[in-house]
Amino acid sequence: MSKKKKIMFVCLGNICRSPMAEFIFKKICADNGGDFEAASSGTSSEEYGNPVYPPAAAILARHSISCRGKRAVQFTAKDYDDYDYIVCMESRHIRSLERMLGGDPRHRIYRLLDFTDNPRDIADPWYTGDFETAYNEIYEGCHALYEHLTGEETSK
Ligand code: 4NP
């Protein structure tokens, strides 16, 4: 039997984008039957222990997605060994991880929207205030990632 694939979503603070990705991806798996493990973390320790930022939690709740109990954590070198796919929200998060790890020797680090037909960063809603756009882009990326991993179309 093949091992369950583990996915780690990464942003800067782990209070906005990567928790949105974690819980959107879990919902896609619940709805479509994917057998994956998902988690999220930040490149920074700035928000360690904090809950999901209220506007991000609110937009998830509007889509019937709960993030209850999630607290921010920082990405560690051990995560690089433990997770099969490390999926960042922006190129600069990839650069931070590569600095920490001395590169990406196992080729596990990706950018979320590189799985779509329109590769780009997810703009930081902490600064833009636009949680709706962040949600829509993360939703698009998570569906594309799921389809990449399973080879199956999702119901959108
Ligand atoms: P995130 O957003 O990386 O999507 O969780 C941010 C959260 C906090 C800060 C920056 C971005 N901050 O500077 O505290």
Side-chain angles (χ1 to χ4, degrees):
M1 210 175 75
S2 64
K3 195 177 132 278
K4 199 186 233 194
K5 287 266 186 303
K6 295 177 70 172
I7 296 129
M8 171 67 84
F9 295 100
V10 176
C11 63
L12 177 66
N14 192 217
I15 58 169
C16 298
R17 292 164 293 176
S18 61
M20 287 167 86
E22 174 187 343
F23 291 99
I24 290 170
F25 189 80
K26 284 177 172 167
K27 175 73 158 53
I28 293 170
C29 292
D31 290 348
N32 294 274
D35 195 19
F36 300 103
E37 221 175 291
S40 64
S41 58
T43 58
S44 142
S45 62
E46 193 78 16
E47 300 290 342
Y48 184 86
N50 288 337
V52 177
Y53 192 51
I59 197 159
L60 289 175
R62 255 202 279 139
H63 293 274
S64 307
I65 299 173
S66 169
C67 58
R68 230 176 66 194
K70 168 64 186 169
R71 293 289 182 274
V73 293
Q74 187 177 21
F75 184 91
T76 66
K78 184 173 183 297
D79 292 326
Y80 187 77
D81 296 329
D82 289 349
Y83 286 82
D84 303 290
Y85 284 79
I86 296 155
V87 182
C88 296
M89 300 298 122
E90 287 183 50
S91 303
R92 69 189 174 121
H93 307 141
I94 295 179
R95 288 195 295 273
S96 296
L97 295 187
E98 288 181 346
R99 263 198 308 276
M100 169 202 267
L101 299 161
D104 178 16
R106 295 183 197 169
H107 306 291
R108 294 183 163 184
I109 304 179
Y110 300 84
R111 183 174 65 161
L112 181 62
L113 291 178
D114 284 345
F115 291 101
T116 74
D117 295 334
N118 183 12
R120 63 207 189 275
D121 287 341
I122 307 253
D124 193 339
W126 179 264
Y127 298 107
T128 65
D130 189 352
F131 286 84
E132 189 80 36
T133 297
Y135 178 90
N136 290 334
E137 289 182 341
I138 293 166
Y139 182 89
E140 177 192 351
C142 284
H143 275 277
L145 171 62
Y146 181 90
E147 290 178 3
H148 171 85
L149 293 172
T150 62
E152 284 172 27
E153 298 261 318
T154 53
S155 53
K156 293 202 180 79

